[in-house]
Amino acid sequence: MAVINRGKQPSLAQLRAFAAVAEHLHFRDAAAAIGMSQPALSGAVSALEEALGVQLLERTTRKVLLSPAGERLAVRARAVLEAVGALMDEAEAVRAPFTGVLRLGVIPTVAPYLLPTVLKLVHERYPELDLQVHEEQTSSLLEGLGAGRLDLLLLAVPLGVPGVTELPLFDEDFVLVTPEDHWLGGRQDIPREALRELHLLLLDEGHCLRDQALDICREAGRTEGAPVTTTAAGLATLVQLVAGGLGVTLLPRTAVDVETGRAGRLQTGWFADPAPSRRIALAMRSGAARGGEFEEFATALREAMGALPVRVAP
């Protein structure tokens, strides 16, 4: 029976290498995932096996399998790495606030229109903050937040996700963007019911703005069979399709000037009160070590966004 070498303790590098192999079951993919060379990764796993006195992997010419011991110890290794990550987060939190890295996730229908305000605020008020921006769809952002890959999210709410705290920033109205000769173009009092039969252009599946637009249409009494054409991966393309006469679309108010300014032959129509709207917020892990800092950041963002065409949250 193998005996644990009490004179050696597993290193974090060894645990990280083993956890990567346990996840990918492939040395090349595991090495790429953690930025380690394949020989170094293989050596780290072998050293861990020696330190623990057990065989963790079953290596064949075709694939890598976890041994029964490996199955059990992979769970422990991940728990240790998560605990170390939490320790590092806590240590970072007790340092001076607004220093170090802040990994901010932003949805695509917010990023181009709000990031200039966010970046200006960080540059002027928090010059020691290393802001790293990741533009992804909502599902990917939430996965990243839960896994610790991201620290803070800027996205549309409500999310209704356990363990996630929302810090509301503002509400903004949706407007109707039409070709210049459309009968609703330029109107100031469009009833929501007008959405029932319009040829509506929407974003691809996966964008929360698509879901919000469909919710608005359903509230207006639009039937499932009414024409909806999904042909765009981004708002810029969507607006170009409208300018080409292929239909109409809904834009959040913060996107209107940027997107309609790129294309001619467009008109903007405004809904009668209460206009359909969306809420934008920051989202963080509930109980995050930097929670107080993030709440202060939300307050500063509300102040900075007062000049935008939005209703700032109290």
Side-chain angles (χ1 to χ4, degrees):
M1 180 180 295
V3 178
I4 296 178
N5 186 342
R6 297 290 182 180
K8 294 183 179 180
Q9 293 290 323
S11 69
L12 288 178
Q14 292 168 359
L15 292 175
R16 193 172 291 112
F18 171 53
V21 174
E23 178 182 353
H24 294 278
L25 295 178
H26 194 288
F27 276 96
R28 185 181 65 245
D29 293 346
I34 62 175
M36 180 182 285
S37 71
Q38 190 171 330
L41 178 131
S42 180
V45 175
S46 295
L48 180 63
E49 289 179 316
E50 181 181 352
L52 296 177
V54 296
Q55 181 180 347
L56 299 172
L57 304 177
E58 297 178 6
R59 302 166 177 85
T60 70
T61 56
R62 291 189 173 184
K63 57 185 177 180
V64 177
L65 298 175
L66 291 176
S67 69
E71 292 277 3
R72 294 177 58 183
L73 294 179
V75 177
R76 294 286 189 180
R78 284 190 287 267
V80 170
L81 293 172
E82 289 173 2
V84 171
L87 173 67
M88 298 303 293
D89 287 344
E90 190 69 27
E92 187 173 0
V94 298
R95 299 201 323 253
F98 300 105
T99 61
V101 175
L102 174 58
R103 297 162 298 182
L104 177 68
V106 191
I107 56 175
T109 57
V110 162
Y113 322 113
L114 299 186
L115 277 181
T117 300
V118 174
L119 296 176
K120 183 173 185 291
L121 172 68
V122 171
H123 176 74
E124 294 179 351
R125 189 176 297 193
Y126 311 117
E128 300 301 316
L129 187 65
D130 180 9
L131 182 67
Q132 299 178 0
V133 177
H134 302 261
E135 185 184 50
E136 302 169 24
Q137 293 185 9
T138 299
S139 59
S140 177
L141 292 180
L142 288 171
E143 180 277 327
L145 185 69
R149 178 173 59 84
L150 300 173
D151 303 309
L152 195 62
L153 309 181
L154 178 59
L155 72 180
V157 297
L159 300 168
V161 177
V164 174
T165 297
E166 300 170 6
L167 305 172
L169 297 176
F170 62 82
D171 296 304
E172 64 174 330
D173 292 340
F174 284 98
V175 299
L176 187 69
V177 178
T178 73
E180 61 182 350
D181 59 350
H182 195 275
W183 66 281
L184 289 174
R187 284 186 53 175
Q188 302 291 318
D189 59 348
I190 300 174
R192 293 195 191 198
E193 291 74 19
L195 294 170
R196 292 176 180 174
E197 302 300 331
L198 294 176
H199 191 82
L200 195 63
L201 298 169
L202 298 177
L203 292 174
D204 289 335
E205 296 281 356
H207 289 275
C208 63
L209 186 58
R210 172 192 173 91
D211 297 331
Q212 292 161 352
L214 289 174
D215 287 342
I216 292 168
C217 291
R218 279 190 287 268
E219 291 171 4
R222 187 185 181 96
T223 63
E224 294 294 332
V228 174
T229 304
T230 303
T231 50
L235 293 183
T237 302
L238 206 59
V239 170
Q240 291 292 337
L241 295 173
V242 174
L246 298 187
V248 302
T249 195
L250 293 169
L251 285 188
R253 183 65 183 85
T254 51
V256 170
D257 290 344
V258 173
E259 298 302 344
T260 60
R262 296 173 178 171
R265 306 182 303 280
L266 292 171
Q267 287 208 67
T268 301
W270 307 85
F271 289 94
D273 290 333
S277 64
R278 70 172 180 175
R279 169 161 287 191
I280 301 299
L282 291 176
M284 64 179 182
R285 289 183 294 275
S286 300
R290 302 171 71 182
E293 181 181 336
F294 295 159
E295 290 178 3
E296 183 179 338
F297 188 57
T299 299
L301 273 179
R302 292 185 197 106
E303 296 172 357
M305 292 176 175
L308 298 175
V310 300
R311 295 182 297 281
V312 177

